[in-house]
Amino acid sequence: MILKAVTLGLALVALSGASERPPGKWPEVSDKQVAAVVWDYFSQPSTNAKKEEEQKSELTQQLETLFRNYFWARLQDKPYIYDVKELVPFAINQHQRLTKDSEKLKEEIWKERQELRAKMLPHAKNVSQSITDYLVLLREFADQYPNMINHIITGERQGLEKWIPLTLNRIEARLHDNAEDLQAFLTSIIDRVRNETTGEMFKFEAYQVVYEELLMRRIDQKVEELRRSLAPFAQDVREILDHQLEGVSFQMKKGMDQLQANVSAGFKELCQRLKNLTDDTWETLRDNTEEPQKSVVEMGKQFDQQLEEFQRTLPLYKEPFEKAMVQLVEDFRQKLVSPNVGDGEDYLIFLEKDLKDKVKSFFNTIKKESREKLLDLKNQDKN
């Protein structure tokens, strides 16, 4: 269902030459990406000692780079419409406030954990078994995203399998007719392959938007399953359990974000290799048009090999994600049922979550206001 929904929008772009933004979910700078840039900047050790004006300048530059590189800006070569400068002072003020309150937060998280642990310890065996059962479901969840990507690549390989013989038939027809414009015809084939390879990167990013929403909902569901299994042992402290699980959910979503980023980077590298293969094929065809079928067949074979190789790497992306998720839940188990386990720097997770939540909320306000202003300007132009 997901693939079918996205494909309609992708088909529109292919037909329109990307001259008009298609309907549906398309990649743009998200509130999550903006919040991540802000947090990553402030979590650098050196930033604390920097003057505020220098902070503003550097953070503005990083945010503007993010917006310049976003999907729709690359498609249409148009700048973003949001005023990043509004966001920067807000982010700096929030960071300063949270840093100032970090010791208070650290104490609050420590007290919460102690109170929750006191309730869980008498049921340690049952709590451990509930989490053990939950880990089985979590491992199954870790397979879902790589399976989705594998499905996309399988579709690409099937499409390639059909395209090669059709293209060979067209070349044979040209050769049979002794067409003088064979070189131009071969050029058009290579140009099409180049354009479609670039288009695949955009399509992949569009899939990622849809998958992200789905996967984040699945994480919420998985954490809710864990909450339900632990709730009977958390009488009178269920609000504390819910709050602690917010931290677990936040970390899981960070892990999923990283997994998607790693797969996207791998796919981008794949597209670059495919472009290089296309360029090599064109060099061969340009120098020798006597056996164009052989060059096209070889290109198709190497394309398929590259796609197959990418499919084989998907488990390598999944394994560290699955390991991190399992370790996260195992650590949570130990903090619930082991009286001698310290809480370390757990409060930093909540500090990060708090900053990101506030930045996301503020950015969404900017986005909404910017779109309303743009709509007003368009209405004025019509009048």
Side-chain angles (χ1 to χ4, degrees):
M1 290 297 293
I2 295 173
L3 291 172
K4 188 179 292 184
V6 176
T7 301
L8 294 174
L10 300 178
L12 180 59
V13 167
L15 293 172
S16 66
S19 61
E20 184 175 341
R21 180 169 180 168
K25 299 289 185 180
W26 278 89
E28 62 174 339
V29 175
S30 68
D31 52 13
K32 182 186 295 185
Q33 289 172 304
V34 171
V37 168
V38 172
W39 173 258
D40 289 345
Y41 176 76
F42 284 124
S43 61
Q44 297 170 11
S46 61
T47 58
N48 291 335
K50 291 181 179 177
K51 296 179 181 178
E52 187 170 319
E53 287 305 313
E54 186 179 356
Q55 283 184 315
K56 287 181 180 179
S57 177
E58 291 188 13
L59 186 54
T60 299
Q61 185 177 17
Q62 290 193 18
L63 288 169
E64 288 181 345
T65 298
L66 172 68
F67 279 86
R68 276 198 303 271
N69 292 332
Y70 91 108
F71 177 86
W72 200 247
R74 299 205 311 275
L75 267 183
Q76 293 197 317
D77 193 27
K78 290 183 179 179
Y80 54 90
I81 61 172
Y82 314 125
D83 189 355
V84 172
K85 292 181 175 62
E86 289 184 42
L87 176 62
V88 173
F90 174 83
I92 290 175
N93 290 337
Q94 287 299 316
H95 181 263
Q96 290 172 344
R97 185 187 66 78
L98 290 172
T99 302
K100 184 178 179 181
D101 295 342
S102 63
E103 286 303 316
K104 181 181 178 182
L105 177 63
K106 182 177 182 179
E107 183 178 350
E108 288 175 355
I109 297 301
W110 182 83
K111 287 181 177 178
E112 274 193 2
R113 189 65 57 76
Q114 292 296 314
E115 191 172 349
L116 183 59
R117 184 181 293 144
K119 287 288 184 179
M120 291 290 188
L121 276 175
H123 311 285
K125 185 176 180 179
N126 291 331
V127 169
S128 289
Q129 186 58 53
S130 294
I131 292 180
T132 297
D133 295 341
Y134 176 75
L135 287 173
V136 175
L137 301 176
L138 193 62
R139 288 188 172 95
E140 293 174 359
F141 167 71
D143 287 326
Q144 292 182 2
Y145 172 67
N147 288 344
M148 292 174 183
I149 303 303
N150 186 65
H151 187 75
I152 292 176
I153 303 302
T154 297
E156 296 296 332
R157 294 180 68 189
Q158 291 171 346
L160 182 65
E161 188 177 346
K162 295 176 182 178
W163 180 81
I164 293 297
L166 289 174
T167 302
L168 292 177
N169 288 339
R170 293 173 65 197
I171 294 174
E172 288 285 355
R174 290 280 174 146
L175 291 173
H176 184 266
D177 294 340
N178 295 317
E180 296 181 359
D181 63 343
L182 178 62
Q183 189 77 21
F185 174 68
L186 294 175
T187 300
S188 69
I189 290 177
I190 295 299
D191 286 344
R192 180 181 175 184
V193 173
R194 285 196 185 105
N195 292 335
E196 290 189 357
T197 301
T198 300
E200 289 308 310
M201 191 66 233
F202 289 142
K203 283 170 59 178
F204 192 82
E205 292 184 54
Y207 282 119
Q208 291 284 60
V209 172
V210 179
Y211 287 162
E212 180 181 13
E213 292 184 359
L214 171 65
L215 292 165
M216 294 310 165
R217 287 198 301 271
R218 293 274 174 85
I219 287 176
D220 288 337
Q221 292 169 2
K222 292 301 174 188
V223 174
E224 174 58 21
E225 289 171 9
L226 180 58
R227 190 198 68 79
R228 285 200 302 264
S229 69
L230 296 177
F233 315 116
Q235 298 295 333
D236 304 324
V237 290
R238 288 190 179 179
E239 288 186 5
I240 293 178
L241 174 63
D242 291 347
H243 187 230
Q244 291 294 318
L245 285 174
E246 285 180 15
V248 174
S249 175
F250 178 73
Q251 289 173 282
M252 283 186 174
K253 290 177 179 179
K254 279 185 65 179
M256 179 56 71
D257 285 340
Q258 187 59 55
L259 173 60
Q260 284 196 280
N262 291 342
V263 172
S264 290
F267 190 81
K268 188 174 182 179
E269 291 176 4
L270 167 66
C271 287
Q272 185 58 54
R273 291 196 296 271
L274 297 182
K275 286 181 181 179
N276 292 341
L277 284 173
T278 305
D279 291 342
D280 291 343
T281 300
W282 174 234
E283 288 298 323
T284 301
L285 288 172
R286 190 168 58 181
D287 295 337
N288 180 15
T289 58
E290 293 182 3
E291 296 182 304
Q293 306 98 314
K294 183 178 179 180
S295 296
V296 171
V297 168
E298 181 61 26
M299 180 181 68
K301 180 181 177 181
Q302 292 189 45
F303 263 50
D304 188 66
Q305 288 174 348
Q306 291 293 335
L307 291 168
E308 183 182 19
E309 176 61 27
F310 183 71
Q311 284 183 299
R312 286 199 296 265
T313 66
L314 288 174
L316 301 180
Y317 291 110
K318 185 206 75 170
E319 287 167 9
F321 168 73
E322 180 181 350
K323 184 178 179 181
M325 295 301 97
V326 169
Q327 189 61 52
L328 172 62
V329 176
E330 286 284 6
D331 289 346
F332 188 65
R333 184 214 310 254
Q334 293 302 314
K335 289 164 185 173
L336 292 179
V337 301
S338 299
N340 297 322
V341 173
D343 294 325
E345 301 295 295
D346 281 3
Y347 77 99
L348 291 175
I349 292 299
F350 292 92
L351 192 70
E352 179 181 354
K353 182 179 182 299
D354 195 8
L355 176 63
K356 286 186 174 181
D357 285 347
K358 286 181 170 57
V359 169
K360 286 192 287 186
S361 177
F362 189 78
F363 173 66
N364 282 334
T365 300
I366 293 176
K367 185 191 296 187
K368 183 173 182 287
E369 291 175 352
S370 297
R371 286 175 174 168
E372 289 173 351
K373 290 177 183 176
L374 188 62
L375 184 60
D376 288 341
L377 288 174
K378 288 182 178 179
N379 291 334
Q380 290 175 16
D381 290 340
K382 290 179 180 179
N383 298 330

